[in-house]
Amino acid sequence: DADVTQTPRNRITKTGKRIMLECSQTKGHDRMYWYRQDPGLGLRLIYYSFDVKDINKGEISDGYSVSRQAQAKFSLSLESAIPNQTALYFCATSAATGNTEAFFGQGTRLTVV
Amino acid sequence: AQSVTQLDSQVPVFEEAPVELRCNYSSSVSVYLFWYVQYPNQGLQLLLKYLSGSTLVKGINGFEAEFNKSQTSFHLRKPSVHISDTAEYFCAVRGGYQKVTFGTGTKLQVIP
């Protein structure tokens, strides 16, 4: 089983709809992140959480919200989806100390029509 | 603030030839540096990382990178590429507040 699991893997939704992307991890990491990937733009940070009670905006948080339901779960919501939110979304985790690399999920491909 | 620049968006190279993928960064604090690889329809996986110590870092699949503090660079190299190395490669920096900033990616195309 994957250490970082994202659901769904693919989703098509209509403009104006609310949608939630979910992420769960078995790494035991405190830190979790949501990124979006667009061609030619790399990965941009949407939100990050250093523990259950800590939520921080990233560089492109407008139009998104998050919820850290537990150490292992971090969900991303689009309250009212718009077409320019069509992208590949990645959840990632990292340890607070020691090994500092991030571990990524397989991604969620979201299309807003 | 920190930033990462990957100068080449695409790099075509013949099979068994050497390759260098360039990465420059800026940060006002000490950093950790990473290279990740993304194969089609997959997430990112770590190739190698520089945390401290030796400036030459060896990673998986025969890749290596050299940290150059004076030039603020962390270029990725492989002496002989294989078809299976075709992928997109991302340089990343982790500095203040432990946030990770990614470059825009370099697509490596290995030509048979």
Side-chain angles (χ1 to χ4, degrees), chain A:
Chain A
D1 289 340
D3 294 322
V4 183
T5 303
Q6 293 182 233
T7 55
R9 291 292 311 279
N10 290 281
R11 181 72 181 269
I12 300 174
T13 192
K14 293 183 177 180
T15 297
K17 292 290 188 181
R18 183 179 188 275
I19 184 169
M20 178 182 289
L21 309 183
E22 298 186 341
C23 176
S24 63
Q25 53 115 345
T26 60
K27 301 291 290 181
H29 289 161
D30 287 325
R31 301 181 175 190
M32 299 188 73
Y33 311 82
W34 275 104
Y35 291 90
R36 68 176 276 176
Q37 182 181 17
D38 299 277
L41 297 179
L43 278 78
R44 293 179 291 167
L45 184 63
I46 306 172
Y47 270 96
Y48 61 103
S49 170
F50 282 176
D51 65 41
V52 176
K53 297 180 181 179
D54 177 79
I55 302 289
N56 303 280
K57 292 183 177 180
E59 54 186 305
I60 55 163
S61 59
D62 288 348
Y64 302 94
S65 63
V66 291
S67 174
R68 184 82 184 266
Q69 301 95 325
Q71 186 205 38
K73 296 184 182 294
F74 192 37
S75 60
L76 176 71
S77 294
L78 286 67
E79 298 301 327
S80 179
I82 56 177
N84 76 359
Q85 291 178 312
T86 293
L88 186 56
Y89 291 84
F90 285 103
C91 174
T93 75
S94 69
T97 58
N99 191 329
T100 58
E101 73 182 87
F103 293 84
F104 284 82
Q106 294 293 296
T108 295
R109 187 167 297 280
L110 176 65
T111 303
V112 183
V113 298

Side-chain angles (χ1 to χ4, degrees), chain B residues 22-95:
Chain B
R22 297 179 293 170
C23 173
N24 288 90
Y25 71 93
S26 68
S27 176
S28 57
V29 300
S30 297
V31 296
Y32 301 137
L33 294 158
F34 308 84
W35 275 99
Y36 288 85
V37 59
Q38 183 182 30
Y39 297 106
N41 300 314
Q42 294 189 26
L44 280 72
Q45 64 183 81
L46 185 71
L47 264 183
L48 50 79
K49 60 186 175 185
Y50 172 79
L51 304 181
S52 64
S54 173
T55 57
L56 182 62
V57 180
K58 294 188 182 296
I60 62 172
N61 301 338
F63 284 92
E64 64 181 32
E66 185 156 18
F67 170 59
N68 187 318
K69 188 174 182 179
S70 63
Q71 297 185 7
T72 61
S73 67
F74 191 54
H75 300 331
L76 181 69
R77 302 185 183 99
K78 186 169 183 178
S80 176
V81 295
H82 188 266
I83 291 291
S84 61
D85 293 323
T86 295
E88 190 160 17
Y89 293 79
F90 292 93
C91 182
V93 59
R94 180 169 174 169

